[in-house]
PDB file of all heavy atoms in Angstrom:
ATOM      1  N   HIS P   5     195.381 174.868 183.011  1.00 81.00           N
ATOM      2  CA  HIS P   5     194.013 175.187 183.092  1.00 81.00           C
ATOM      3  C   HIS P   5     193.578 176.557 183.576  1.00 81.00           C
ATOM      4  O   HIS P   5     192.519 176.903 183.530  1.00 81.00           O
ATOM      5  CB  HIS P   5     193.227 174.071 184.020  1.00 81.00           C
ATOM      6  CG  HIS P   5     193.727 174.084 185.368  1.00 81.00           C
ATOM      7  ND1 HIS P   5     194.739 173.507 185.925  1.00 81.00           N
ATOM      8  CD2 HIS P   5     193.096 174.755 186.446  1.00 81.00           C
ATOM      9  CE1 HIS P   5     194.918 173.715 187.195  1.00 81.00           C
ATOM     10  NE2 HIS P   5     193.911 174.500 187.587  1.00 81.00           N
ATOM     11  N   ALA P  23     196.512 172.207 175.787  1.00 95.00           N
ATOM     12  CA  ALA P  23     195.899 173.544 175.753  1.00 95.00           C
ATOM     13  C   ALA P  23     194.529 173.497 175.138  1.00 95.00           C
ATOM     14  O   ALA P  23     193.622 174.125 175.676  1.00 95.00           O
ATOM     15  CB  ALA P  23     196.823 174.567 175.117  1.00 95.00           C
ATOM     16  N   SER P  50     175.449 167.161 168.327  1.00 96.00           N
ATOM     17  CA  SER P  50     176.768 166.522 168.763  1.00 96.00           C
ATOM     18  C   SER P  50     177.713 166.498 167.435  1.00 96.00           C
ATOM     19  O   SER P  50     178.961 166.759 167.654  1.00 96.00           O
ATOM     20  CB  SER P  50     176.515 165.195 169.335  1.00 96.00           C
ATOM     21  OG  SER P  50     177.712 164.572 169.691  1.00 96.00           O
ATOM     22  N   PHE P  67     194.106 182.244 163.940  1.00 92.00           N
ATOM     23  CA  PHE P  67     193.414 183.251 164.765  1.00 92.00           C
ATOM     24  C   PHE P  67     194.257 184.444 164.916  1.00 92.00           C
ATOM     25  O   PHE P  67     195.284 184.396 165.351  1.00 92.00           O
ATOM     26  CB  PHE P  67     193.104 182.624 166.136  1.00 92.00           C
ATOM     27  CG  PHE P  67     192.384 183.461 167.176  1.00 92.00           C
ATOM     28  CD1 PHE P  67     191.042 183.854 166.925  1.00 92.00           C
ATOM     29  CD2 PHE P  67     193.111 184.032 168.184  1.00 92.00           C
ATOM     30  CE1 PHE P  67     190.490 184.695 167.864  1.00 92.00           C
ATOM     31  CE2 PHE P  67     192.480 184.928 169.091  1.00 92.00           C
ATOM     32  CZ  PHE P  67     191.226 185.209 168.901  1.00 92.00           C
ATOM     33  N   VAL P  94     166.598 168.413 159.123  1.00 44.00           N
ATOM     34  CA  VAL P  94     166.675 167.982 160.377  1.00 44.00           C
ATOM     35  C   VAL P  94     165.366 167.343 160.830  1.00 44.00           C
ATOM     36  O   VAL P  94     164.304 167.978 160.629  1.00 44.00           O
ATOM     37  CB  VAL P  94     167.067 169.081 161.413  1.00 44.00           C
ATOM     38  CG1 VAL P  94     167.118 168.569 162.813  1.00 44.00           C
ATOM     39  CG2 VAL P  94     168.358 169.709 160.957  1.00 44.00           C
ATOM     40  N   GLU P 101     165.032 166.101 178.802  1.00 36.00           N
ATOM     41  CA  GLU P 101     164.517 166.737 180.025  1.00 36.00           C
ATOM     42  C   GLU P 101     165.309 167.878 180.476  1.00 36.00           C
ATOM     43  O   GLU P 101     164.841 168.787 181.202  1.00 36.00           O
ATOM     44  CB  GLU P 101     164.520 165.567 181.148  1.00 36.00           C
ATOM     45  CG  GLU P 101     163.493 164.623 180.988  1.00 36.00           C
ATOM     46  CD  GLU P 101     162.064 165.150 181.247  1.00 36.00           C
ATOM     47  OE1 GLU P 101     161.854 166.057 181.997  1.00 36.00           O
ATOM     48  OE2 GLU P 101     161.122 164.719 180.468  1.00 36.00           O
ATOM     49  N   GLY P 102     166.529 167.941 180.146  1.00 36.00           N
ATOM     50  CA  GLY P 102     167.437 169.001 180.718  1.00 36.00           C
ATOM     51  C   GLY P 102     167.333 170.320 180.028  1.00 36.00           C
ATOM     52  O   GLY P 102     167.872 171.347 180.463  1.00 36.00           O
ATOM     53  N   ASP P 120     152.966 170.952 185.763  1.00 51.00           N
ATOM     54  CA  ASP P 120     153.291 169.604 185.866  1.00 51.00           C
ATOM     55  C   ASP P 120     152.947 168.791 184.606  1.00 51.00           C
ATOM     56  O   ASP P 120     153.026 167.494 184.638  1.00 51.00           O
ATOM     57  CB  ASP P 120     152.568 168.985 187.156  1.00 51.00           C
ATOM     58  CG  ASP P 120     153.075 169.625 188.448  1.00 51.00           C
ATOM     59  OD1 ASP P 120     154.331 169.915 188.476  1.00 51.00           O
ATOM     60  OD2 ASP P 120     152.349 169.836 189.306  1.00 51.00           O
ATOM     61  N   GLN P 143     167.575 184.268 159.731  1.00 94.00           N
ATOM     62  CA  GLN P 143     166.553 184.716 160.784  1.00 94.00           C
ATOM     63  C   GLN P 143     166.623 183.736 161.956  1.00 94.00           C
ATOM     64  O   GLN P 143     166.468 184.168 163.193  1.00 94.00           O
ATOM     65  CB  GLN P 143     165.235 184.827 160.132  1.00 94.00           C
ATOM     66  CG  GLN P 143     165.151 186.003 159.051  1.00 94.00           C
ATOM     67  CD  GLN P 143     163.888 186.055 158.376  1.00 94.00           C
ATOM     68  OE1 GLN P 143     162.885 185.542 158.908  1.00 94.00           O
ATOM     69  NE2 GLN P 143     163.850 186.706 157.226  1.00 94.00           N
ATOM     70  N   TYR P 155     171.752 186.218 174.153  1.00 96.00           N
ATOM     71  CA  TYR P 155     172.890 187.085 173.779  1.00 96.00           C
ATOM     72  C   TYR P 155     172.395 188.478 173.511  1.00 96.00           C
ATOM     73  O   TYR P 155     171.325 188.667 172.951  1.00 96.00           O
ATOM     74  CB  TYR P 155     173.650 186.467 172.590  1.00 96.00           C
ATOM     75  CG  TYR P 155     174.342 185.207 172.905  1.00 96.00           C
ATOM     76  CD1 TYR P 155     173.817 183.976 172.710  1.00 96.00           C
ATOM     77  CD2 TYR P 155     175.735 185.245 173.252  1.00 96.00           C
ATOM     78  CE1 TYR P 155     174.496 182.796 173.026  1.00 96.00           C
ATOM     79  CE2 TYR P 155     176.427 184.061 173.574  1.00 96.00           C
ATOM     80  CZ  TYR P 155     175.752 182.913 173.380  1.00 96.00           C
ATOM     81  OH  TYR P 155     176.517 181.726 173.677  1.00 96.00           O
ATOM     82  N   GLU P 158     174.661 193.051 170.125  1.00 97.00           N
ATOM     83  CA  GLU P 158     176.117 193.135 169.719  1.00 97.00           C
ATOM     84  C   GLU P 158     176.893 191.793 169.759  1.00 97.00           C
ATOM     85  O   GLU P 158     177.692 191.649 168.946  1.00 97.00           O
ATOM     86  CB  GLU P 158     176.608 194.193 170.622  1.00 97.00           C
ATOM     87  CG  GLU P 158     176.119 195.633 170.525  1.00 97.00           C
ATOM     88  CD  GLU P 158     174.739 195.827 171.265  1.00 97.00           C
ATOM     89  OE1 GLU P 158     174.410 194.902 171.958  1.00 97.00           O
ATOM     90  OE2 GLU P 158     174.085 196.771 170.993  1.00 97.00           O
TER      91      GLU P 158
END
Side-chain angles (χ1 to χ4, degrees):
H5 67 274
S50 180
F67 177 72
V94 178
E101 285 295 325
D120 296 323
Q143 295 174 18
Y155 288 90
E158 294 77 13

